[in-house]
Amino acid sequence: MTEYGKFALSPERQLTDVEKTLLWKKPLTHKVSEEELRISNEIKRNWNREEMKIANILLEGDAGSGKTQLAKALSANFGLPYTKVTCFADMDKSDLIGAILPVISSERLEKMEPVEQSALKAIYESDGFQCITEILMDVLGITQEQAALKMKQLLKLAAENTDGEAVEYRFYPSEIVRAYQKGYLLEIQEPNVIRDAAVLMALNSALELDGSINLPTEIIHRHPDFIAVITANRSYAGSRPINEALRDRVQHTEKMDLPTKEVMIDRAKAKTGYQDEHVLGVLADIIMILDKTARANAIKGIAGMRSFFYWADAVAGGASAKESLYHKVIYKITTDSEEIKLLEEALKSHGLFARIEEARMEEKKKRKSSDAIEIRTWGDIDDTGFGKENSLEEKGIALKKSADSDNSSSRVSDDLTHTETGLGEDGSPTYHQPDPESMSEDAKQKERDFRKNLNRVAREVVSHSIHKNVKLIVHRPDYDQENQQEYAALRHGLVPIVREIARKTLPLFDHEISSEFARNHYYGSKFQADSVAYRDYRYFAKKRPPAESPTLVVGLRVDESASMSAFGRLEAAKRAVIAVYEYCQICNVPILIYGDTADVSKMEQMSIFAYADFDKMDSDDRFRLMRIRARSNNRDGMALRIMAERLVVSPQQTKLLISISDGQPKAMDDYTGSYAVKDMQQTIEEYERKGITFLAAAIGQDRDVISEIYGGERYLDITNLHELPEKLVRIIARYL
């Protein structure tokens, strides 16, 4: 193991072939940081000092500050296999230690229904309940909640159909257990989002230097070579302060902020190959000023090293530094116009806009001179793009932007082609009415099952609240030709606004999804036949996880009380809903759109209208939105509770629930006044603790009451109804 240099912790240790594949190999572009040297020296110095041993590290800082890169570099320095686990809010002990699965003989399996057979066969290739849920969703074509319920049914079925035989269960350890037992370097990402105190207690116990983990099959002790590197983001949605007990078990902590200007320049040169230190210095200064300004003004976005690298790379490719600044940096911090003004003013006050132009002109002169020399000397280098005039260069960028915009929005148009028949006199598309008889019986049954499941879930959510005795019905509205025409008419004027905002937002997703597969996982979307020989259950490969912004899910609640019919509120709400829906479709953001009203009848005291649901995305949902109506009373707290619970179980990290309402809550049997206000406030507090972000768009006369209910930080005063669609879309873009 001497190839790992002076920091190797166990030079005599022999790794298996599989473990050698887990060793991180530093790329040529890797630059050793002060933090890496400091941690490596400290761990090496104290490695054999028993009680003074350093084996738990905490790296805390903003996204893009290099925490994961540092954890991997430590793996290379110490000669230890690297692996990681990403924590999530609903993490339980089975995710921490592993899962127990039933093993049924092939004879008994053949006697079961085909659905159960397929499900159980798929389960045996998984090692955890979360993965089982995903497999059941794929195999059976069901929702996440239905898959969780199916899992419980299968466990019960395996126990009941024993025919007098004992049921065998098999334990599959988690990634944490394998790293803990075999002595790997384990990166534990975001433990500060875990809500279950029992999981944190178990994790704390395991991180003791002489710690152990109680498994269903045995007690395992911490391997002497095991190192835990805890990485946590500051001020992320859904995150909390690091647990005190967890902090106490850490022997070394690093505060990961932007490095010095010199280090930023060196890393950018290594990453991008761009060598102009003067230009890189200007870009680094801008990143640092934007970072300080965002913090000082409580702007949630981050100007970090990732933004710096991609901006520098764009400039190296010939892009305008000033123009690409917005797409690579500023729009990643915020898309709110007021906040952008604050950032621009900060740059102007430091003279950095002028320095960008100066650096750009100097770079163009250098390139022209350099190009002439290169062409004359070698004659085979094609750098003609660098010598274009400024006007042509800007025109070329503008053309590229236009093309990107068209491509980005074409997905929305494509969704409509199955019903679009031509253009009307005003240029808007016209549609034919779909033939309901064309739906197969299977499709009709799935729609009925989906509606029944929505009712079951909604009633279960409120069964332990003050609304438990309220008679509730969840509807799945249909649509007709008139709804299609209305949708086309309202959409026509909104498309340019939505497309422009989406065009500015989509660069955030440039590096969101990787096409590469990470090998040697216990579960995944790609089976590796050549890994079966190792008998370590690491037979799968899966797409590498997102590397940029946290994912987002949006819930949009529309108050359908009778007062919405006044002063154009209903049309404003419909236009806003269309704008949000179209934007989310362009950006692939899951969307939940529900309307609600109360007291339709004694048998239907609460009505929920599920217009769009992320568990059953349907391109026809856009037409259902036109069924939004002004109906009766409003029981806001119940509607918020049902929608918030639906968002809680979604896998996305950022969960935004927006309520469009024109008045205070009021329903039969005294659901009004302080009683209703208290219920809403308690609901908001409860679900904010579960990671939901609430916003209220007030469009009626009760703005002061709505502001009091939701609080000033969650309240949007929409005095001008024409501004509602654009404001809501820009707010959602901000959370990306």
Side-chain angles (χ1 to χ4, degrees), residues 523-582:
Y523 60 88
S525 57
K526 186 177 181 182
F527 181 75
Q528 303 170 158
D530 59 342
S531 299
V532 175
Y534 294 117
R535 301 183 63 79
D536 63 353
Y537 304 107
R538 303 172 70 92
Y539 307 151
F540 298 92
K542 62 181 181 178
K543 287 287 182 69
R544 297 187 184 278
E548 288 290 325
S549 303
T551 51
L552 171 69
V553 61
V554 174
L556 194 59
R557 177 249 171 177
V558 183
D559 170 13
E560 297 192 35
S561 58
S563 57
M564 287 286 286
S565 61
F567 306 113
R569 296 170 192 164
L570 188 64
E571 183 177 347
K574 283 185 178 181
R575 293 177 71 250
V577 168
I578 290 173
V580 170
Y581 178 86
E582 293 282 8

Side-chain angles (χ1 to χ4, degrees), residues 99-103 123 126-127 129 132 151 168-172:
I100 300 176
L101 306 176
V103 180
I123 285 173
S126 171
D127 71 335
F129 285 108
I132 293 172
M151 178 61 196
E168 178 188 350
Y169 288 87
R170 183 178 300 162
F171 174 70
Y172 293 86

Side-chain angles (χ1 to χ4, degrees), residues 4-264:
Y4 301 109
K6 64 178 181 178
F7 296 122
L9 300 178
S10 300
E12 71 288 348
R13 177 177 172 180
Q14 297 297 315
L15 299 181
T16 66
D17 291 339
V18 174
E19 289 174 337
K20 288 178 182 177
T21 64
L22 297 177
L23 282 170
W24 193 68
K25 296 176 178 57
K26 295 182 180 180
L28 296 176
T29 57
H30 179 77
K31 289 289 184 180
V32 178
S33 64
E34 293 181 9
E35 294 88 352
E36 180 184 333
L37 285 175
R38 184 162 49 241
I39 295 172
S40 299
N41 280 315
E42 282 294 290
I43 290 180
K44 180 66 175 179
R45 183 175 67 87
N46 289 275
W47 191 243
N48 297 310
R49 294 182 64 192
E50 297 182 356
E51 292 184 0
M52 296 304 295
K53 183 177 182 178
I54 296 175
N56 297 329
I57 312 298
L58 172 61
L59 308 179
E60 191 172 11
D62 293 327
S65 56
K67 300 183 293 295
T68 293
Q69 183 86 352
L70 177 52
K72 291 178 178 178
L74 295 176
S75 159
N77 290 348
F78 300 144
L80 296 178
Y82 166 85
T83 187
K84 70 176 180 179
V85 60
T86 302
C87 301
F88 51 94
D90 295 322
M91 198 170 185
D92 60 25
K93 283 192 174 181
S94 69
D95 299 298
L96 186 67
I97 66 174
I100 300 176
L101 306 176
V103 180
I104 299 175
S105 65
S106 56
E107 293 79 8
R108 288 176 54 210
L109 200 59
E110 292 299 327
K111 297 177 183 179
M112 294 184 177
E113 296 293 328
V115 172
E116 278 73 23
Q117 288 185 36
S118 300
L120 286 170
K121 286 178 181 178
I123 285 173
Y124 296 149
E125 298 179 358
S126 171
D127 71 335
F129 285 108
Q130 184 181 11
C131 178
I132 293 172
T133 302
E134 293 173 0
I135 286 182
L136 290 178
M137 291 169 65
D138 292 338
V139 172
L140 304 180
I142 57 179
T143 66
Q144 186 175 7
E145 293 176 62
Q146 291 170 331
L149 180 61
K150 189 67 178 177
M151 178 61 196
K152 295 176 183 177
Q153 292 172 347
L154 290 171
L155 290 171
K156 185 178 180 181
L157 184 65
E160 289 177 349
N161 295 337
T162 60
D163 294 331
E165 299 177 7
V167 179
E168 178 188 350
Y169 288 87
R170 183 178 300 162
F171 174 70
Y172 293 86
S174 69
E175 187 77 6
I176 296 175
V177 167
R178 293 185 184 278
Y180 193 82
Q181 190 175 27
K182 295 186 176 183
Y184 297 169
L185 185 146
L186 173 70
E187 181 187 358
I188 306 174
Q189 297 182 336
E190 311 304 328
N192 49 328
V193 304
I194 299 175
R195 289 200 296 257
D196 192 334
V199 176
L200 286 171
M201 288 177 61
L203 184 60
N204 292 341
S205 175
L207 290 179
E208 295 283 0
L209 290 177
D210 58 350
S212 61
I213 298 177
N214 292 329
L215 302 180
T217 55
E218 60 180 325
I219 298 176
I220 64 168
H221 297 279
R222 179 171 180 156
H223 191 286
D225 286 349
F226 175 72
I227 292 179
V229 179
I230 301 166
T231 56
N233 286 315
R234 287 194 297 261
S235 304
Y236 247 37
S239 64
R240 302 166 181 77
I242 293 285
N243 178 274
E244 292 83 358
L246 186 61
R247 278 189 180 276
D248 189 50
R249 284 161 176 78
V250 169
Q251 295 97 22
H252 185 95
T253 302
E254 290 286 345
K255 181 173 178 283
M256 303 289 288
D257 291 318
L258 281 175
T260 63
K261 178 179 176 180
E262 291 72 21
V263 172
M264 291 177 69

Side-chain angles (χ1 to χ4, degrees), residues 4 103 303 464 541 588 682:
Y4 301 109
V103 180
H464 300 291
N588 271 338
Q682 288 177 344

